[in-house]
Amino acid sequence: MDPAKLSCANGQLQREIIEGGRMENSLLGEERYREFVDSLPQIVCETDDKGNITFANRYAFEAFGYTREDFDRGLNVFQMLIPEDLDRAAKNIQRVLEGENLGGIEYTARRKDGSTFPVIIHVNPIIRENKRVGLRGIIIDITERKRMEEALKRAEREKALILDSIAEDVIYQDKDHRIIWTNRTAGKSISLTAEQLVGHFCYEVWQKRSEPCVDCPVVKALETGKPEEGEMTTPDGRVWFIRGYPVKDEKGNLIGVVEITLEITERRRAEEALRESEGKYRSLIETSPDPITLTDLDGKILMVNRQGLKTLGYETEEEIIGKSGFEFIAPEDRRRAETEIMQQLLETGSAHNIEYKIIKRDGTVFPAETNMSLIFDAHGKPIAIIGVSRDITERKRAEEALRESEAKYSALVENSKDGIIIIQDGVLKFINTASIDLVGYKPEEIKGAYFLDFIAPDFREIVLKRYNDRLEGREVPSIYEIEILSKEGKRLPVEINAARINFEGRPADLVFIRNIAERKRLEKKLREYAERLEEMVEERTRELRESEEKLRAILASSPDAIAVTDLNGNVIECNQAA
């Protein structure tokens, strides 16, 4: 039925009930009246003075589940109510019969099957020959209204619970900055209750001023009609991060502003401590003998140390910051660096012993070896890449020299800072001076020995497998890190670079050994720096992100439509209800 017609019909019916006119004297006539009442989606009934039902419309039977046969056998209004309401209903019936107008009264109705539902009952006496002989009433099912009321109450409770549980001060002000509503956190920040803040001006409460603050983001938000944010310091020395969000009505008129404030005094102190810590780690990076760079995930250079500038031929950091790190890689290696190496880095979090040629500022090229690791934010998302490079020109020259002629370049091998050995048939056939110095044995003690005896036990399996695979022509990593044992049994971290060669007419393994103890120490320091940096970033960002998520949850859970628009009325953001 059309809502307008239904409202009109209900109004007419209730007027007749209030007037107490006899149905048979209705302007519609008894038959038309009953047809009209039967068409209503509301329960209409009449009783005698004992509560026995003498008339009920069709919807009454549908709502309560009774049949015409039940009606013919006799039904009483008290059958339609739960036991807890019977005494109250009897008293109210008596009051109505005595002439008192009670209006609509809420009860819990009971169907034939025992199920219940909430109702409002409007009743008036039936008067015949100046005697009140019964009751005429309309029963309205308010189940949906109760659900809506409960949902609204629940939403209000949830909204208050969420707002009161977040770390920020949330304050709703009118256009004059008078506080209309605030959460508990705002009150606690100045040792007052939320109720005590209502009606006061925000600038009086926090800034102890008699007029709004000039640089306040909340003031700016009201002036611009757009969200504003900034930092302010209160007279007690506390630092606050403040965001102001204009509130507009459905016509786009500015009616107030929501202020969300977070005290960041401790964060500012932490940031100062972080700057001091960064200074220490920066000093460590600057003293590294190897170039160290920090880039974003696209390869854009964010930082480079002094050795990196020197290696590339630059004087100041400003000359190189912002450039793509790929620009310094030789064209023949650039595609591999952009695809394969970056893919490996993003998949595993690190890439070790990557070799490619580097172009200096003057155009000269040199081979480099780089170890790279991802830096992650507080949520585990990669945000940057740190790389430590080394000019391996000398090593490359040594490798080439050995391939051409072992005898010709034996002096170079013996003078190499890296250990160089040749393994054939599982035993040491050649050991240079650096290798001997590294492990502390005499030449006669080590030459001819089984090479696995000098490998730390937990690395022997992988070393042996790669040694055999390499000699059999299978493709295996040539460069990797292991630990070897000195004569005293001390474990030494080394980097080995192995390649298959022909030695005295038969296959052998040529191995370069580099002591990386210092590099490991530096890498450990760098990891500590990265971890510390991640902790500070997490501390710095977690509160802001959580507050934003909670605010969005508030907006999403509100039963009211909420929208934020610009001054032209364009919707910038809105919740689901909107």
Side-chain angles (χ1 to χ4, degrees):
M1 188 174 184
D2 182 76
K5 293 181 180 179
L6 177 59
S7 176
C8 179
N10 287 345
Q12 180 178 349
L13 180 57
Q14 291 189 46
R15 283 195 298 274
E16 285 203 16
I17 292 174
I18 292 170
E19 291 167 1
R22 290 169 57 89
M23 288 191 298
E24 55 268 27
N25 293 328
S26 168
L27 294 176
L28 296 174
E30 181 177 359
E31 183 178 350
R32 291 181 61 196
Y33 178 82
R34 291 184 181 277
E35 289 178 357
F36 168 71
V37 169
D38 273 340
S39 70
L40 292 176
Q42 290 179 343
I43 302 165
V44 180
C45 65
E46 294 181 359
T47 72
D48 61 18
D49 59 354
K50 303 299 182 182
N52 297 311
I53 299 174
T54 59
F55 168 76
N57 69 343
R58 185 176 65 238
Y59 189 71
F61 289 100
E62 295 175 1
F64 283 93
Y66 288 98
T67 65
R68 289 288 179 182
E69 289 75 14
D70 295 325
F71 175 79
D72 293 339
R73 286 192 293 268
L75 293 172
N76 190 282
V77 69
F78 294 108
Q79 294 176 247
M80 314 298 173
L81 300 174
I82 63 173
E84 293 83 352
D85 285 349
L86 295 180
D87 185 61
R88 181 166 59 95
K91 292 178 180 179
N92 288 337
I93 288 175
Q94 187 59 40
R95 291 168 64 188
V96 172
L97 289 174
E98 291 173 356
E100 189 174 347
N101 184 4
L102 301 182
I105 300 176
E106 286 193 25
Y107 296 97
T108 300
R110 183 174 62 180
R111 299 184 181 90
K112 182 179 179 180
D113 63 7
S115 60
T116 62
F117 60 101
V119 296
I120 289 180
I121 301 179
H122 297 268
V123 295
N124 282 85
I126 298 174
I127 301 175
R128 291 176 182 160
E129 298 177 359
N130 294 322
K131 292 183 179 181
R132 295 179 175 86
V133 297
L135 299 172
R136 179 183 295 116
I138 295 177
I139 303 175
I140 302 172
D141 185 347
I142 59 172
T143 301
E144 190 59 34
R145 191 183 81 181
K146 286 290 185 181
R147 288 175 183 164
M148 293 177 63
E149 289 175 353
E150 181 57 34
L152 181 60
K153 290 178 182 178
R154 185 169 57 252
E156 288 297 321
R157 288 194 300 268
E158 290 174 353
K159 180 183 74 174
L161 180 63
I162 292 172
L163 290 174
D164 285 339
S165 65
I166 64 178
E168 290 92 345
D169 299 355
V170 181
I171 308 159
Y172 178 45
Q173 310 169 17
D174 63 18
K175 293 194 294 184
D176 296 322
H177 302 286
R178 191 183 299 275
I179 298 172
I180 300 174
W181 185 94
T182 179
N183 66 346
R184 293 178 186 172
T185 307
K188 289 180 180 178
S189 70
I190 49 174
S191 301
L192 294 175
T193 66
E195 293 74 15
Q196 289 174 315
L197 292 175
V198 174
H200 292 279
F201 294 103
C202 68
Y203 50 82
E204 292 178 340
V205 175
W206 277 277
Q207 293 290 352
K208 311 301 181 186
R209 292 170 57 93
S210 59
E211 58 185 8
C213 307
V214 177
D215 297 324
C216 177
V218 179
V219 175
K220 292 180 181 178
L222 285 173
E223 292 173 351
T224 64
K226 299 184 296 184
E228 300 285 349
E229 63 180 40
E231 293 183 12
M232 295 193 70
T233 303
T234 47
D236 57 9
R238 290 186 290 176
V239 183
W240 307 82
F241 178 69
I242 300 174
R243 287 169 289 170
Y245 296 92
V247 178
K248 300 180 181 181
D249 60 20
E250 64 277 3
K251 296 181 180 180
N253 299 316
L254 193 63
I255 60 173
V257 63
V258 173
E259 175 183 350
I260 300 178
T261 302
L262 177 67
E263 184 184 352
I264 57 173
T265 308
E266 290 302 319
R267 184 194 303 171
R268 284 288 171 262
R269 292 172 182 166
E271 288 173 350
E272 181 60 31
L274 177 60
R275 280 192 290 271
E276 294 179 3
S277 177
E278 287 175 345
K280 295 177 181 178
Y281 283 108
R282 179 72 187 216
S283 176
L284 177 65
I285 290 173
E286 289 299 340
T287 58
S288 170
D290 293 324
I292 299 176
T293 57
L294 182 70
T295 71
D296 63 18
L297 298 182
D298 294 322
K300 184 179 179 180
I301 297 175
L302 305 176
M303 183 276 295
V304 61
N305 70 343
R306 191 175 297 114
Q307 184 60 37
L309 293 173
K310 180 180 178 182
T311 300
L312 293 172
Y314 287 87
E315 296 293 333
T316 64
E317 197 174 27
E318 289 72 18
E319 296 177 273
I320 199 171
I321 295 298
K323 291 187 176 183
S324 172
F326 297 115
E327 293 181 19
F328 299 94
I329 299 176
E332 61 268 27
D333 291 334
R334 191 171 300 160
R335 181 172 179 79
R336 178 169 59 92
E338 292 175 332
T339 56
E340 297 176 14
I341 296 173
M342 287 300 294
Q343 182 177 354
Q344 176 187 347
L345 185 63
L346 294 174
E347 288 178 352
T348 66
S350 62
H352 297 290
N353 307 315
I354 305 301
E355 294 185 13
Y356 38 66
K357 298 182 180 66
I358 297 297
I359 306 173
K360 294 185 178 181
R361 186 177 190 178
D362 61 7
T364 58
V365 177
F366 68 93
E369 177 186 86
T370 300
N371 291 279
M372 296 180 289
S373 296
L374 290 177
I375 294 177
F376 300 89
D377 65 13
H379 300 283
K381 180 181 179 181
I383 57 174
I385 303 169
I386 189 165
V388 180
S389 300
R390 172 172 293 179
D391 184 344
I392 58 171
T393 302
E394 182 179 346
R395 190 179 80 190
K396 286 297 184 181
R397 288 172 181 167
E399 292 172 355
E400 182 63 26
L402 282 173
R403 280 192 294 269
E404 292 178 358
S405 171
E406 179 184 1
K408 182 177 179 181
Y409 295 101
S410 60
L412 176 62
V413 171
E414 287 301 321
N415 290 317
S416 172
K417 295 179 180 179
D418 291 339
I420 302 174
I421 63 174
I422 296 176
I423 304 170
Q424 192 176 64
D425 301 327
V427 299
L428 300 173
K429 293 290 187 176
F430 172 83
I431 313 100
N432 74 340
T433 302
S435 300
I436 294 170
D437 293 341
L438 182 62
V439 294
Y441 286 92
K442 296 179 180 179
E444 59 271 17
E445 293 176 329
I446 194 171
K447 191 172 182 179
Y450 186 51
F451 79 102
L452 281 183
D453 292 341
F454 304 95
I455 307 297
D458 43 335
F459 289 94
R460 288 173 182 171
E461 182 178 353
I462 184 65
V463 171
L464 180 60
K465 184 178 186 306
R466 290 182 177 177
Y467 167 75
N468 290 329
D469 287 346
R470 188 177 300 109
L471 292 182
E472 291 172 8
R474 285 192 285 272
E475 191 171 329
V476 293
S478 60
I479 303 175
Y480 54 99
E481 296 177 8
I482 63 170
E483 291 184 359
I484 62 175
L485 301 174
S486 69
K487 186 175 182 178
E488 294 77 20
K490 182 179 178 182
R491 295 171 69 104
L492 304 173
V494 296
E495 175 191 280
I496 65 172
N497 186 349
R500 172 177 165 167
I501 63 169
N502 281 325
F503 180 72
E504 297 179 349
R506 292 191 302 113
D509 207 17
L510 172 66
V511 183
F512 292 82
I513 304 173
R514 171 168 292 173
N515 186 345
I516 58 171
E518 180 61 21
R519 188 175 81 190
K520 287 294 184 181
R521 184 190 68 81
L522 179 59
E523 288 176 350
K524 180 180 178 182
K525 290 291 186 181
L526 289 175
R527 284 195 300 270
E528 291 173 354
Y529 167 75
E531 291 170 359
R532 177 59 179 160
L533 181 61
E534 289 173 15
E535 291 174 358
M536 299 306 294
V537 170
E538 177 180 8
E539 181 181 347
R540 185 174 182 180
T541 60
R542 180 175 58 248
E543 293 175 343
L544 292 177
R545 292 190 177 182
E546 290 177 351
S547 66
E548 184 175 353
E549 292 171 357
K550 290 177 181 177
L551 181 59
R552 290 186 179 277
I554 294 170
L555 296 178
S557 64
S558 173
D560 298 325
I562 301 176
V564 179
T565 68
D566 60 21
L567 292 178
N568 295 322
N570 298 313
V571 175
I572 300 173
E573 186 174 355
C574 66
N575 67 351
Q576 186 65 38

